[in-house]
Amino acid sequence: MTHRYTLENVVRRYREARTGRSVEALRVRRLDVAAGEILAVVGPNGSGKSSLLETMAFLQRPDGGRILLDGRDVWAERKSLAARRRCPILLQKTVLFKTTVLRNVMYGLRMRGLGRAEARRRAEAVLRLVRLDRLAQRGNRELSGGERQRVALARLLVLGPEILLLDEPTANVDRANEQLIEQLIRQLHQRNGMTVILASHSFRQATTLADRIVTLVDGQLMPGTMDNLFTGTLCREAGVFAFRDESGLVLRFRPEAMAREDRNACPAPDTPVRIAVDTKHLLVVSDGNERMGVFSGRIESVRRHRDRCRLRVRLVEGHVLRVEMTLADYKQLGLNLGTTVRLRLADGAIHLVRTLNPDYSH
Amino acid sequence: MNECRFPLSALTCYMQTLFDALRNALHLVLTLDADVFEYAGRSVLIATVSTLIAGLIGIPLGMLVAEHEFPGKRAVVTLLNTLLALPTVVVGLLVYTFLSRTGPLGTLQLLFTVPGIIIGEVLLVVPIVTAFTLSAVARTDRDVRKTALALGASPRQTLWTVLCESRFGVLAAVIAAFGRVVSEVGVATIVGGNIDHFTRTMTTAIVLNVDMGSFALALALGIVLLAISLSINVLFQYLQGGGQP
């Protein structure tokens, strides 16, 4: 498989305004994106999604590591302008220039040296595609939120990109505009086979659009969806791991339940850590030893998306775990709202996101 | 001042003076008074050239300071803001010492010439253009810059985009600079010398007429100067509005 993007040990830092301290916003050990793939990056607010996408759009040089685009190290070869032109990004905050919709859409083409007449022709065609051709001569201030977002998307689409980076493309739009934008992304992906990297906080959007989902937690990438985040202490007791949540939840599990790279982790007994449990690696089982990585709880809610569903399971101790499974398995196990289930941690289900003590690193 | 023929109140007398001045001003304009047109033309020329040069220096300088972070930036901004209140006579004196025969630029023989006045006016308004541009560019959303880069603009194209997006503020800087020069008297008097048919401007002519007791003529010239300023401002405002769809 051809890798369009490869990120290796990419680090981004920023300086805290209040303290002047350098803080790490992103640390990606490795991320490969295949040509023609739609990759969704999900994660809570402040997890580093925008930093990741802006780094992949070559807007900012990473503080460490390298980014390969079609196998070439862009920053080392000083080709950031050419790379930026290949990978336009829809930023989280939509800014339209103080001019008409048409001129906004023509902007990128004009920056690439295209003549006014040809740029206008292409811009008008794209405005028809996003159903804004009637507003071509409107000023930037005369648009609704959804229209603004569609203009912003049209500005990228007019460039005919082979790679498209979308940072929360439907964050501030109504449902109708959201559907229209998602439909456009799907259509264009099918028609042109472009690579799309999408940051979203919506699990529904990620599962609907993406071929693959990765989760960012505290600036670190985890495979799959990691909505189960806990902060507490982690230690080894007689060959098993024991995690104690701040609110009293205790998780005991075999080392195999830890992700491969974290199995040898051995934080000091009182070191605060954050762990993530992969929603896809929590298996609904009929039996199991409750002392060893099996938890009982009741299904509190179910959300269905295409052939998958997401359960919200409230454990006996009162904590909530989110579980993802196929709809077929859900039906086969005869599950329903209120059903009591047993959950088992599959191998590699738990990721040590980070230790919260800056002096410790594993 | 015109003599009041009737025992009118002080206010009526004042209104009479203003009315006479307005009538005089209209008369000077309608009869195409050569002196008035010469002074006005010189004032507009000095203001236009000075503003143009100050713009060429101050706009890039303002952008440079706004767009870059460097040690001592806050001190530079404070200095620029202080220079906004620079007394015109101080600038006049400074330029005078430089251009006088014994000064470092004495050999250029620019003292009591229009180019000499322009040098002084440029020094006076460069801080205005720089400070206003800096403020306008700094106020322009940081995301404008990021958006331009995201759409494939080169660093130079990005700067141009940021300037275009700040154009209302930058144009305000230009208007303020033009207004300051056209109404300025200190530099024009000290560096220009107020020489008739050579360096006399509208403002120095007004001062001279006040000194000679010709208040009505001075007021008439003032009204013409105000009309010029108003026309230029209307033109600038039209240009500002033209950019906004």
Side-chain angles (χ1 to χ4, degrees):
Chain A
M1 188 185 283
T2 326
H3 285 147
R4 182 118 283 175
Y5 269 112
T6 301
L7 276 71
E8 290 175 351
N9 299 315
V10 168
V11 178
R12 277 279 310 277
R13 295 190 190 91
Y14 70 93
R15 197 163 288 282
E16 250 185 3
R18 194 170 50 84
T19 58
R21 216 159 47 94
S22 175
V23 179
E24 203 170 273
L26 196 66
R27 178 174 286 276
V28 178
R29 286 178 197 167
R30 189 174 177 99
L31 174 66
D32 293 310
V33 184
E37 181 183 18
I38 300 186
L39 173 76
V41 182
V42 296
N45 287 341
S47 59
K49 299 191 294 291
S50 295
S51 290
L52 176 65
L53 260 72
E54 285 171 17
T55 306
M56 293 177 84
F58 303 99
L59 289 185
Q60 280 144 342
R61 190 176 187 143
D63 298 296
R66 57 186 200 147
I67 309 172
L68 307 181
L69 183 64
D70 288 333
R72 312 196 66 146
D73 188 340
V74 170
W75 289 106
E77 293 181 17
R78 296 166 183 263
K79 301 270 191 211
S80 65
L81 177 60
R84 260 194 295 118
R85 289 185 170 172
R86 282 188 63 196
C87 321
I89 177 173
L90 180 77
L91 296 166
Q92 189 173 14
K93 186 176 172 189
T94 303
V95 174
L96 297 186
F97 299 125
K98 291 174 189 165
T99 182
T100 60
V101 166
L102 183 68
R103 280 170 181 260
N104 262 286
V105 179
M106 286 164 65
Y107 180 85
L109 295 173
R110 298 285 291 146
M111 293 300 111
R112 285 158 176 78
L114 202 73
R116 194 180 292 273
E118 180 58 17
R120 188 189 175 98
R121 194 186 61 75
R122 291 193 199 178
E124 283 170 346
V126 169
L127 282 174
R128 275 194 294 279
L129 185 73
V130 297
R131 300 180 202 169
L132 285 175
D133 43 327
R134 284 182 303 110
L135 308 183
Q137 295 306 326
R138 282 254 182 109
N140 68 322
R141 293 186 197 164
E142 301 166 54
L143 302 171
S144 70
E147 288 164 349
R148 287 172 67 84
Q149 197 68 352
R150 273 148 66 196
V151 174
L153 189 61
R155 278 196 308 205
L156 304 191
L157 299 181
V158 78
L159 305 170
E162 49 187 322
I163 301 163
L164 195 58
L165 296 149
L166 305 168
D167 190 359
E168 304 269 10
T170 57
N172 301 307
V173 300
D174 57 23
R175 187 76 190 106
N177 274 300
E178 185 178 347
Q179 281 176 338
L180 182 65
I181 290 169
E182 286 175 1
Q183 190 188 333
L184 268 170
I185 295 167
R186 257 196 305 272
Q187 267 178 12
L188 289 161
H189 176 256
Q190 280 165 5
R191 196 189 302 165
N192 309 337
M194 61 186 170
T195 308
V196 180
I197 297 152
L198 164 90
S200 177
H201 64 266
S202 159
F203 169 76
R204 185 202 60 75
Q205 188 171 65
T207 47
T208 308
L209 286 176
D211 302 319
R212 185 161 62 103
I213 301 174
V214 290
T215 306
L216 256 181
V217 185
D218 292 344
Q220 293 192 46
L221 273 182
M222 311 279 155
T225 50
M226 303 272 177
D227 282 355
N228 302 313
L229 278 172
F230 300 101
T231 304
T233 56
L234 181 72
C235 62
R236 273 175 183 271
E237 290 172 357
V240 299
F241 277 107
F243 172 80
R244 286 181 177 81
D245 179 48
E246 287 162 339
S247 58
L249 170 75
V250 180
L251 303 177
R252 280 198 173 78
F253 44 88
R254 296 163 290 112
E256 290 76 22
M258 276 290 243
R260 192 175 298 276
E261 62 271 23
D262 297 325
R263 277 178 199 165
N264 296 323
C266 190
D270 294 325
T271 309
V273 296
R274 183 171 292 177
I275 63 163
V277 185
D278 189 346
T279 52
K280 283 182 182 162
H281 283 62
L282 269 168
L283 309 176
V284 178
V285 292
S286 52
D287 57 355
N289 178 359
E290 292 218 8
R291 288 181 54 81
M292 202 55 68
V294 175
F295 318 99
S296 291
R298 246 159 49 91
I299 300 176
E300 217 174 51
S301 70
V302 183
R303 286 165 66 191
R304 297 167 193 204
H305 300 290
R306 293 201 289 195
D307 60 340
R308 299 194 71 81
C309 63
R310 257 163 89 84
L311 318 180
R312 199 179 134 92
V313 177
R314 188 168 290 278
L315 302 184
V316 177
E317 296 92 337
H319 298 85
V320 170
L321 281 177
R322 287 172 184 83
V323 183
E324 205 183 319
M325 62 196 302
T326 64
L327 210 51
D329 286 346
Y330 180 79
K331 284 178 182 164
Q332 196 183 347
L333 289 166
L335 302 179
N336 221 322
L337 267 181
T339 308
T340 301
V341 291
R342 292 158 82 83
L343 305 173
R344 184 168 66 79
L345 291 167
D347 286 358
I350 295 182
H351 293 255
L352 181 57
V353 178
R354 63 167 184 168
T355 58
L356 302 177
N357 181 348
D359 299 331
Y360 170 83
S361 62
H362 70 279
Chain B
M1 189 182 285
N2 284 355
E3 188 187 334
C4 294
R5 296 189 187 94
F6 304 105
L8 297 169
S9 68
L11 183 66
T12 317
C13 191
Y14 176 68
M15 293 302 292
Q16 178 73 41
T17 310
L18 271 184
F19 179 72
D20 287 348
L22 194 62
R23 203 174 54 190
N24 263 341
L26 270 174
H27 177 75
L28 289 172
V29 172
L30 293 175
T31 57
L32 304 175
D33 186 278
D35 284 349
V36 170
F37 273 83
E38 185 196 319
Y39 305 152
R42 193 170 292 124
S43 286
V44 171
L45 174 79
I46 290 171
T48 307
V49 175
S50 309
T51 307
L52 204 68
I53 296 171
L56 288 174
I57 300 168
I59 293 172
L61 200 62
M63 288 199 71
L64 200 73
V65 178
E67 286 286 300
H68 293 90
E69 293 302 324
F70 54 89
K73 179 173 174 173
R74 192 170 285 189
V76 170
V77 175
T78 308
L79 179 71
L80 278 172
N81 288 335
T82 310
L83 290 178
L84 288 179
L86 200 61
T88 60
V89 283
V90 173
V91 177
L93 271 174
L94 199 74
V95 177
Y96 182 92
T97 55
F98 266 76
L99 298 183
S100 63
R101 194 173 292 177
T102 53
L105 301 175
T107 50
L108 297 175
Q109 297 191 322
L110 290 173
L111 195 63
F112 306 134
T113 64
V114 169
I117 301 175
I118 290 173
I119 290 173
E121 305 292 10
V122 168
L123 286 179
L124 190 69
V125 294
V126 159
I128 295 178
V129 180
T130 309
F132 279 37
T133 303
L134 192 158
S135 160
V137 172
R139 259 187 287 122
T140 300
D141 210 325
R142 283 264 157 215
D143 289 304
V144 165
R145 192 174 183 279
K146 211 193 263 182
T147 302
L149 288 168
L151 292 169
S154 67
R156 197 173 293 173
Q157 288 169 330
T158 303
L159 272 183
W160 179 247
T161 304
V162 170
L163 184 64
C164 289
E165 290 296 294
S166 326
R167 61 186 177 270
F168 302 118
V170 174
L171 213 51
V174 173
I175 294 172
F178 187 90
R180 174 93 160 166
V181 177
V182 89
S183 61
E184 189 282 326
V185 72
V187 174
T189 307
I190 297 172
V191 182
N194 196 15
I195 303 166
D196 203 9
H197 304 302
F198 195 55
T199 58
R200 184 163 297 164
T201 62
M202 289 295 275
T203 49
T204 56
I206 291 169
V207 172
L208 184 74
N209 278 294
V210 171
D211 284 347
M212 294 194 313
S214 308
F215 287 106
L217 185 59
L219 265 174
L221 288 171
I223 289 167
V224 174
L225 184 60
L226 268 175
I228 292 169
S229 291
L230 184 71
S231 311
I232 301 284
N233 269 294
V234 168
L235 177 72
F236 276 131
Q237 286 209 348
Y238 173 76
L239 288 176
Q240 269 192 327
Q244 182 70 322

